[in-house]
Amino acid sequence: SQHVAFASGPHYCLGAPLARLEAQVFLERLALNYPHFSVPEQRLEYNPNFTLRDLKRLEVALNPRA
């Protein structure tokens, strides 16, 4: 399984609500400031980590005017 989750039960991440809020605020600001942004097709590479699945890099095209 290659999913991103905060788990559940005794292993639930206590910082999960804050992480979700930060992601929500970031994405809302991105959409407001760059309404025509796009994520070009690209090969995704992940950092080698047993407990966290995170991207090494993600390219985003910021198009303020389309």
Side-chain angles (χ1 to χ4, degrees), residues 42-45 47 54-59:
Q42 59 198 282
R43 184 174 181 270
L44 301 178
E45 294 183 44
N47 288 312
D54 60 327
L55 287 170
K56 285 185 177 182
R57 177 184 180 131
L58 179 65
E59 292 184 19

Side-chain angles (χ1 to χ4, degrees), residues 19-66:
R20 287 189 184 103
L21 178 61
E22 288 174 341
Q24 179 182 347
V25 169
F26 167 76
L27 292 171
E28 287 174 355
R29 295 278 174 106
L30 179 68
L32 284 172
N33 291 317
Y34 299 95
H36 304 288
F37 82 96
S38 62
V39 179
E41 193 169 320
Q42 59 198 282
R43 184 174 181 270
L44 301 178
E45 294 183 44
Y46 295 89
N47 288 312
N49 191 326
F50 180 72
T51 58
L52 179 66
R53 185 167 183 243
D54 60 327
L55 287 170
K56 285 185 177 182
R57 177 184 180 131
L58 179 65
E59 292 184 19
V60 178
L62 301 178
N63 306 312
R65 299 180 193 113

Side-chain angles (χ1 to χ4, degrees), residues 2-28:
Q2 292 191 9
H3 61 86
V4 177
F6 292 115
S8 63
H11 301 288
Y12 185 73
C13 176
L14 294 177
L18 178 59
R20 287 189 184 103
L21 178 61
E22 288 174 341
Q24 179 182 347
V25 169
F26 167 76
L27 292 171
E28 287 174 355

